[in-house]
Each structure stands twice: as C-alpha cells, then as structure tokens.
Amino acid sequence: MRPRDGAQGMTGPLPERAPVVIIGGGIIGMSTLYHLAHRGVPALLIERRKVASGTTWHAAGIVGQLRDSASQTELGKYTARLFRDLEDETGQGTGYKQNGTINIALSDVRHGQLLRQHDHAARMGIPSHLLTPQEVSEHWPALIVDDVRSGFFVPSNGQVNPLDVTMALSRGARQKGAQVVEGTRAERLELRGGRVVGVVTDKGTVSTSQVLIAGGMWSHHFGKAHGLTVPLHAAEHFYIVTEPVAGLPSDQPILNIVEDRTYWKEDAGKLLIGGFEAQGKAWAQDGIPEDFDPAHPEWPDTPSIGWKPWSGRVQEECLAARDAAVLLDQSMYAKIVVQGPDAVRALNHVCGAQMDVAVGVSVYTQFLNAQGGIEADVTVTRTAPHSFLVVTGHPGQMRDQAWIRAHADPGWRFELFDATSGYSLLTLHGPRARAILQALSGDDVSNAAFPFGAAREIDIAYARGWVIRRSFLGELGFEMLLPTEVTAHVYEAILEAGAPLGLRHMGMFAMNACRIEKGFRHFGHDIGEDDTPFETGLGFAVDLDKGDFLGRDRLARQKAEDGPAFRHRLVSVRVPGLSATEGPYLIHNEPVWKDGRIVGHVTSGDWGFRLQAIVGLATLEHADGVSRAWIDEGRFAVQIAGQMYSADIGLAPFHDPKGKIMRG
C-alpha cells in the first residue's frame, strides 16, 4: 500500500468521551464521520489497523448516479459533486475523474433496459446518450462490437481512488473537530439498562450514547456478540489488473457488460477488469456442496424484463386466488409485541391511525416521522387491554422496534418483544378460503361473525392462534399467526382440507402481481420516508383528532391547504393493448406524461393476470392538485424503453375498486 497523504494526526490518544463513536475506518465509517462533523457533531472514529486498510482499499471506485428511486438518484448526484469538491475543501486529492460510464447491451432484453435507464436519466436531469455499436467502438476501439446491440453513455459518471477519498473525508472531518484514532480495537459495547453508554477498546473505554458499527465483514461477528443481527457475510471476489496498456487514455470511459457480469476501467495506465460471480461463494466456509451443479442452476438463466420462464406458474397462482384458494407462507414477516400500561400511548405517538381500539381489532396504519412521512407500513392488532401485536415487513424487524423506542417518552411504562421466531404467518386467500378455514375450526368464521379487519384467537386443526381478516391480494383472506411449534401440523391440515377445493401454493411473485392490480402500496417502492399518507392515498389511515402524534402538524396543514387535490398523489395505472408475452412491462421509474410534459413516474408495475393487462402504481405531481377532474381529463401516456403508450389513470384500483370481494 502506498504512503497515505494527510494521515498525520490520526494516532492520537483515545478521548474519555465522544457524542458518537464510529467503529471502522473504511469509506462508510469515514463518510459518516465527515457528514456528522459538517452538521456540528464532532464524533470519534476508531480503527483497529489503518484507515481504509480493509475492503475499501481495493474497491472498484466507480461513481454512478442512477438508482431505483428518485431520492437514491439524488444521493448519487450529491456523491458525484462531493468527490469533485472534496479536493478544493481539504487539499487532499480523491483521484476523481469524470470520464463517464458506458453500459452495453448484447441482447434485446438488455437493450430495452438501457432504453428505460435513458428515460429515467432524462426525468432525473442527468444527461445521457444512447450509442450505436459504432459509437461504442469509438470510445473503446479495441472492443469487438459485432454482438453489441446498443450502448448507454452517462458522461457525468466517473471513478475515484477509494483510498484517497477516505483520506480526504478524514481530513475534512478532522478540520471540523472530529477525531480519528488508528491501531485501536473495539472489544465490546458497554450497555446499561439496554442502552449503550460506552465502547470498550484495547486502549481504554470511551463514554458515548451513540455507536455506529461500520466494520464491514467484521460487523456481523461484533454485532452477534451483543445480540444484534447484522446480515452481512464476506464472499470471495476476483478482479484482474493487466500490465500497462500502450495508448490507453486516462479518461477512458468505464465499460459495464452486464451479460458478462464484468466492468472494465483504466487504472494508472493499466486495465482493471472486475467480475460479479453468478454463484457467489462465502469466504471462510468449506465450499460449495458436492451435490450442487453450477452448470444446471434452482432458476433458468435466461434474462427477461417481461414474461419469464416461471410466469406460467405465477399466472396459475393468481387465477387460483381469484377462482379457488391459495396458501402463502409469509413467516419471514416481523412480529413485534408492544405491551404494558402505556403501550397504546407509545403506538399512538408513532402511528397515524387510532390505536386505542377494542381488543380483537386489527388496524392498518403507518409509522410516521416528524414531517408526516412514512417510516413503516404495518398492521397492529390489539390482543389484550395492554398488549398489541405489530406485523411488519421483514426488513423492518429491527428498524421498526428502534423507531418506537426512539420516539417514546422515557417515563412511559411499556416494553417491546421481538416475537418473530415465535410465530409463523400463513395466509389463506380466495373465494374458498373461508370454507377451508371453517373445515378446520369450530369457531364461526362467517362474514357476520368475523368481518373484514377483525382479529380473533380461534382453534385451527386442534391448535390455537390469532387470525386476522385481511388480504394483501385483494381477495377474501385470513392471516393466521400460529405458534411456531404447531405450524407444521396446521399447514398439513390446511393442505388436506384444501385439496378438494382447488387450494394451491402461492409465491411472492404472484402476491406482488395481485397487490399491484389491487393498488396496494409496498413500502420501499410506492411509499417511503418522503411521502405522506395523504399523498399516497392512505389518508383513511390517519386520525387527526386522536391527539398529538409524529407529523400531525404537517399532516393537518397539508389536509387544510391541499385536500382533497394534493399536489402529489399515488394513482393506479393501466396500459391497454399490451400482452403478457410481448409486453413491454411497467417495472419501475417509467416516466408518466400528460400534454407533452412529465408529470410523474411509475413506482411499481407488472402484468395483472386477473385484469389481463399491464398495470402499475405511479406518483403524479400537479401544481394545482392531482384532482379527480384533472385525472378524468385523460391524455396520459407512459414512456417505456423510449416509446410512448397511452395509459389509463385512476385514483381507485382497477381490480375490485370498491373492495367488495375482500370484504365479502
């Protein structure tokens, strides 16, 4: 490793206390240190060896900007500016070169994807160009382009030296009062009353109330020692650096060949070629099992952004949900118990809906932030006077618990319990779902006794569990929360009772297609931290009269000023005239046009097997409000891979718009 410019002052004594301690001196930890310092928080970073001596040292250093969501793309644009400006701020070079990136397509499928990226780039204000094979060859003269379909060039992308960037971030952070101490190993966290109060190192203890674990491949083991799950594991990865290549320009654009899983870039006069292994191999393990045949992989390797080799199965599952019944295993969803005398106060503070409901009522709601934005999309069931069961997506298992704790009054009397492993979640959907469940239970599950939104603790196949009357598919549905130890028995009983009624299994692809037809939102795709419930059609899940809660003031102003025609609005989209086999499909980020200008973009899309149409959800923006009258004017189009297609837009979903089926 070459000498590091500006490394002086990074091996000083360990301070006694710090407002924040960052464990790990790679680019993630150092970027956090830098940005905290620029917000007036002089944090401390400790590194067990030398800064950037881990995976940061040999990272690819490719700087891209286009991401799946608008907010992530804006972050990518900010990062590109940051790498450019860091040298002026700190005097430390970053090796930043704005030489651009070229993605090439070797197939029609990939070509279609590049067309979509070009559309997305235009919407986000990032200049880009579609290249012919000959134009690709002009940028990469040594490249044989006989099999190249097209190219996609983003001139404002580039590359950096990750080591130099880390050093520049360090210098910028230390100029603002942050501290970096190398050669110091974090041994454990010091906890008191369930909260961190310090970091114990081999050089002493630092008092602190906040810690960021940014140790890369070591984070998993460090977190595990404290009962924290950090889902990271090191994997083997290879790259090639050639001998010096004569005539290779220093501003050579980076080349990405997705079909080959490779990237190609200039590196100090040499060519660096990196690959992304199709079958990743965990490092420090015994290797791949003997019965695994890499020549015949559990999925086909034919790429597609439309009809796929398994789409026929997805169709069968969706139609079974419409005509008979399907069983879906959603046990990976997180289940969080909130209990105690002040449990209802803690939940009411973070939720938009009223949580003080009767025992046996299930409430669909969102966790909100101070700006009224959505932090989680959950169902909450009151299982006892002082006990609630929150069901949330599996990525929110730790995050959602932390959100409740972080915004609770320390004096409130309640506790959280992660019950994810204690319960399975089997969901039964379709017009024959009630008959199947009734065959296994002596309890009355009729619509009169068990209406939509209700929750009951009932007997199922001689076991007992909580059943919630809901469906993410938009069909008659029951969500069964069962103790883990009885799940296998109940599962087999459901299959036996359902066999003569046409019951079949359903997977997540089919669930996703159904929920898009029904217009149900998915956190992370259709709704997120910058969206309010009113903007996303979820205003019915907000009770402004229940008292103070996170984001209430912003939501009240928004409703008073904009309702019912909010300037931003999530709507349903249908593109007539397209087919399941030929597409093209709505997927994500396709621009939506009206009267010659972009008015929004698709947030998620798929083929709707019940509607026999391409459907999706989209967020629209209109200065005078996205009103029903403005939508009814029509003249909407979606841009898919560079082509315009007329689109139907509606505030209500196209499948069962009034919800009669799932409430029947």
Side-chain angles (χ1 to χ4, degrees), residues 277-301:
E277 293 74 21
Q279 301 296 333
K281 181 177 163 184
W283 180 74
Q285 298 293 309
D286 294 333
I288 299 172
E290 291 183 1
D291 60 351
F292 178 76
D293 183 2
H296 300 90
E298 288 186 321
W299 293 108
D301 59 0

Side-chain angles (χ1 to χ4, degrees), residues 537-557:
L538 300 174
F540 64 88
V542 175
D543 183 354
L544 293 173
D545 298 325
K546 71 172 184 174
D548 191 31
F549 58 92
L550 283 176
R552 184 194 178 281
D553 291 345
R554 163 81 193 286
L555 294 176
R557 288 197 306 272

Side-chain angles (χ1 to χ4, degrees), residues 65-85:
Q65 300 171 81
L66 288 172
R67 298 291 187 268
D68 283 344
S69 70
S71 58
Q72 289 177 334
T73 299
E74 291 296 341
L75 183 61
K77 292 166 67 175
Y78 163 76
T79 302
R81 295 193 303 269
L82 175 66
F83 290 161
R84 182 192 64 207
D85 298 340

Side-chain angles (χ1 to χ4, degrees), residues 387-430:
S387 185
F388 297 80
L389 181 61
V390 179
V391 178
T392 183
H394 54 280
Q397 181 173 353
M398 304 304 295
R399 184 179 187 270
D400 294 354
Q401 294 179 66
W403 193 258
I404 298 172
R405 289 190 177 100
H407 294 90
D409 188 307
W412 290 347
R413 298 167 298 162
F414 76 98
E415 63 179 1
L416 295 183
F417 174 70
D418 189 341
T420 302
S421 62
Y423 292 95
S424 64
L425 177 58
L426 302 180
T427 64
L428 192 60
H429 313 263

Side-chain angles (χ1 to χ4, degrees), residues 317-356:
E317 294 166 12
C318 292
L319 298 184
R322 181 193 68 185
D323 300 331
V326 292
L327 179 63
L328 183 62
D329 185 357
Q330 296 177 256
S331 298
M332 74 293 240
Y333 280 42
K335 304 100 180 174
I336 304 165
V337 173
V338 186
Q339 58 189 14
D342 292 319
V344 68
R345 298 179 66 182
L347 286 171
N348 255 336
H349 186 59
V350 298
C351 293
Q354 172 62 263
M355 294 293 101
D356 196 3

